[in-house]
Amino acid sequence: MRIFLAGGTGVIGRRLMPALVDAGHDVVATTRHAGNIDRIARLGGRGVVVDVYDAPRLGEAVGEAAPDLVVHQLTDLRLFDTEATARIRREGTAHLVSAARESGVSRILVQSIAWAYQDGDGLADEDEPVEAGSAVAAMEDLARTLARPTILRYGWWYGPDTWYAEGGRIADAVAEGLLPATRTVNSLVHIDDAVAATVAAIDWPAGAYNIVDDEPAPATEWLPSYAAAIGAPPPRSTTWSSGSPGGRGASNAKARAAGWIPTHASWRSGFRADGHD
């Protein structure tokens, strides 16, 4: 299959690209910087320099790639700039969907999040709405204007090159005692399991899927375990918990029913697999 990967050098993109190539796909991957073209080639893809906000150039790039599937893995969180990522989800997705439609592409796979569900009881499943009016909701609605949208709602990524790895934003905050353990329930997923699910989802029926591990847990439970794993002091606990959205975990039953089996069914084994105690 010919795949147009928007976001080829991000945390998931640079792991996803070789996995897609190993699965037999032909991948054209985007970057905003010409200096990344050689890196993309080493990962097995063909690089194209394009900014998602340059709609005419993006349309040309998608048309030249003639893909069967567009994969949207674009974010802008290097500086924890949530507004920049919200813009990508709204404006960038609109440009990407338009380029796909103009090129006759009916399939899109979109990176979404599993902590945008509205507040409620128990684990959230894919039939429940995400926060109304949010950039996440706008992105998902745009994807659904194509005939075959696949929306992957990932849990919090941990593992190599993520914020939880050595030197990452979360790892540093925990090491400095800056991140309290709240009662908010989180769903996590190891980055390698997220990549495996993304490759597998190409063959799944269109729709939304939560890509999370089997053990959603409050931060009062998992964060002390993570802190101990990286040799950080125990985080202070608080009775505070977030309101809607993000205060509940998500169910992975649908993704499992589609055949996905996470290697790290729990963050407990995942922390150990990353060399933590």
Side-chain angles (χ1 to χ4, degrees):
M1 178 181 292
R2 292 188 303 277
I3 295 175
F4 187 87
L5 172 59
T9 58
V11 171
I12 195 167
R14 59 181 177 263
R15 282 181 149 71
L16 179 59
M17 199 183 325
L20 290 170
V21 172
D22 287 347
H25 302 295
D26 180 15
V27 181
V28 173
T30 71
T31 177
R32 289 180 297 174
H33 307 290
N36 286 328
I37 294 295
D38 287 345
R39 182 182 190 184
I40 289 171
R42 288 194 299 271
L43 293 172
R46 291 181 289 123
V48 58
V49 178
V50 62
D51 190 315
V52 73
Y53 299 122
D54 185 346
R57 173 66 187 122
L58 181 63
E60 291 176 1
V62 174
E64 291 167 1
D68 303 298
L69 168 69
V70 169
V71 175
H72 179 356
Q73 294 288 349
L74 293 167
T75 59
D76 195 348
L77 288 172
R78 291 169 298 166
L79 301 176
F80 199 58
D81 190 341
T82 56
E83 289 301 316
T85 291
R87 183 189 177 203
I88 283 179
R89 287 173 174 156
R90 295 180 186 276
E91 186 179 340
T93 303
H95 290 172
L96 200 55
V97 167
S98 178
R101 184 180 295 110
E102 291 173 3
S103 297
V105 182
S106 63
R107 299 190 63 189
I108 189 167
L109 187 153
V110 173
Q111 176 196 134
S112 190
I113 55 176
W115 59 93
Y117 285 107
Q118 296 181 9
D119 201 14
D121 297 325
L123 299 181
D125 66 33
E126 293 84 353
D127 292 331
E128 298 185 49
V130 298
E131 183 187 15
S134 67
V136 173
M139 175 184 66
E140 292 191 1
D141 287 344
L142 284 163
R144 292 190 188 97
T145 65
L146 294 181
R148 296 182 62 190
T150 300
I151 297 165
L152 300 186
R153 294 173 180 158
Y154 300 102
W156 290 106
W157 294 334
Y158 68 93
D161 297 327
T162 70
W163 286 351
Y164 292 82
E166 182 179 0
R169 179 177 296 272
I170 297 297
D172 287 349
V174 172
E176 295 172 18
L178 301 177
L179 191 64
T182 73
R183 293 187 291 109
T184 299
V185 176
N186 303 119
S187 286
L188 292 85
V189 65
H190 193 281
I191 189 69
D192 291 341
D193 284 326
V195 168
T198 306
V199 176
I202 292 172
D203 297 321
W204 295 350
Y209 298 85
N210 293 329
I211 306 302
V212 299
D213 72 16
D214 294 352
E215 193 175 358
T220 49
E221 184 175 343
W222 70 259
L223 189 55
S225 178
Y226 170 73
I230 65 172
R236 64 180 177 85
S237 295
T238 175
T239 57
W240 178 87
S241 64
S242 69
S244 177
R248 61 194 296 208
S251 167
N252 67 7
K254 184 176 179 182
R256 275 191 167 273
W260 177 59
I261 302 175
T263 301
H264 307 297
S266 167
W267 42 269
R268 300 178 193 274
S269 63
F271 291 163
R272 291 194 298 271
D274 288 335
H276 302 318
D277 195 280

